């Protein structure tokens, strides 16, 4: 008897490491990998790029965007130098420190520690203050945001559709990140609505912040 294997469905996931809601969704996506035949491919997008030239932003959010350049620049530099395969481990190392441990994304030492955990050179942290790969960052960002439009943020997820075209959507925004079969049900339901022709949005007011575990 010959065993057959199912090739995992590629799931493209665009993230900004400074965004707590993208972090929640990414942890859910890792749970989905355990219960559905999917494989996440990580990509960088940037809230700072997304919100450039937008005048009506709260001052607190403007300050956040100013400092949010650092982690995405480090991520794109790591990808350019060592390939996209390093992004998953680097994102996990960064996100755990930034969000779960509450260390934030501004501290140089936080980025250095994350790089070291991911097995990457600490010197990559210097790219947080460099625009050397901003062209590549903007291209990666545009690739993701072009699939869903300018009215959303991070994360953006894209999967192959039945007709060969990608199905792409923003979110889901969820807290805490579902696990096990609950993660699978949310995945199945998200794909169902996202693949419906003419479907655009389901939304309700958030009544709590991200719950990290």
């Amino acid at each position: 008897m010959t065993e057959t294997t199912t090739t995992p469905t590629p799931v493209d996931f665009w993230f900004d490491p400074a965004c707590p809601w993208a972090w929640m969704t990414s942890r859910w996506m890792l749970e989905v990998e355990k219960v559905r035949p999917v494989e996440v491919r990580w990509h960088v997008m940037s809230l700072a790029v997304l919100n450039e030239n937008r005048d009506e932003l709260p001052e607190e959010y403007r300050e956040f965007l100013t400092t949010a350049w650092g982690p995405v620049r480090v991520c794109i530099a790591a990808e350019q130098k060592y390939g996209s395969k390093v992004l998953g481990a680097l994102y996990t190392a960064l996100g755990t420190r930034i969000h779960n441990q509450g260390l934030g994304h501004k501290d140089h030492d936080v980025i250095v520690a994350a790089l070291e955990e991911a097995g990457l050179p600490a010197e990559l942290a210097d790219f947080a203050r460099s625009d050397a790969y901003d062209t590549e960052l903007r291209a990666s960002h545009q690739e993701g945001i072009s699939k869903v439009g300018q009215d959303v943020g991070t994360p953006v997820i894209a999967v192959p559709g039945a007709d060969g075209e990608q199905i792409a959507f923003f979110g889901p925004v969820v807290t805490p990140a579902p696990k096990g079969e609950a993660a699978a049900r949310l995945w199945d339901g998200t794909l169902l609505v996202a693949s419906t022709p003419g479907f655009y949005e389901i939304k309700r007011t958030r009544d709590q912040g991200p719950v990290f575990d």
Side-chain angles (χ1 to χ4, degrees):
M1 181 177 179
T2 302
E3 291 186 2
T4 59
T5 58
T6 301
T7 301
T9 299
V11 177
D12 291 297
F13 190 111
W14 280 265
F15 68 92
D16 183 321
C19 177
W21 293 105
W23 175 247
M24 298 302 303
T25 308
S26 73
R27 299 310 94 180
W28 162 70
M29 202 65 245
L30 292 182
E31 285 291 314
V32 175
E33 275 193 318
K34 301 174 185 177
V35 292
R36 289 293 184 267
V38 301
E39 180 180 13
V40 181
R41 301 187 302 197
W42 303 99
H43 309 273
V44 183
M45 65 180 296
S46 169
L47 290 173
V49 172
L50 179 67
N51 288 281
E52 280 183 322
N53 304 316
R54 293 187 178 180
D55 296 327
E56 297 180 3
L57 294 173
E59 186 60 34
E60 182 179 354
Y61 192 55
R62 285 184 182 280
E63 293 177 5
F64 165 82
L65 294 175
T66 299
T67 57
W69 282 101
V72 291
R73 281 173 163 168
V74 171
C75 286
I76 202 70
E79 181 185 32
Q80 292 300 307
K81 288 179 173 293
Y82 299 100
S84 59
K85 292 292 186 181
V86 305
L87 284 178
L90 178 56
Y91 184 25
T92 291
L94 281 168
T96 300
R97 288 167 172 79
I98 292 170
H99 304 297
N100 292 62
Q101 297 176 13
L103 299 177
H105 62 273
K106 304 177 185 179
D107 194 329
H108 183 80
D109 291 341
V110 169
I111 295 177
V112 169
L115 287 165
E116 291 176 344
E117 180 182 319
L120 293 165
E123 291 77 15
L124 283 171
D126 294 338
F127 284 97
R129 303 182 183 91
S130 169
D131 62 0
Y133 292 107
D134 278 10
T135 299
E136 290 79 3
L137 171 60
R138 291 177 184 278
S140 180
H141 171 88
Q142 184 59 31
E143 183 185 6
I145 206 68
S146 66
K147 298 178 184 298
V148 291
Q150 296 289 329
D151 296 330
V152 301
T154 176
V156 170
I157 296 176
V159 298
D163 59 359
E165 295 292 327
Q166 279 193 318
I167 300 168
F169 49 88
F170 160 69
V173 176
V174 61
T175 189
K179 294 179 173 58
E181 188 56 31
R185 287 196 302 269
L186 178 57
W187 176 248
D188 295 342
T190 300
L191 290 187
L192 178 63
V193 297
S195 62
T196 300
F199 174 82
Y200 293 107
E201 186 173 9
I202 290 178
K203 191 172 183 178
R204 63 180 179 183
T205 300
R206 303 174 199 172
D207 56 7
Q208 64 174 324
V211 177
F212 307 119
D213 55 16

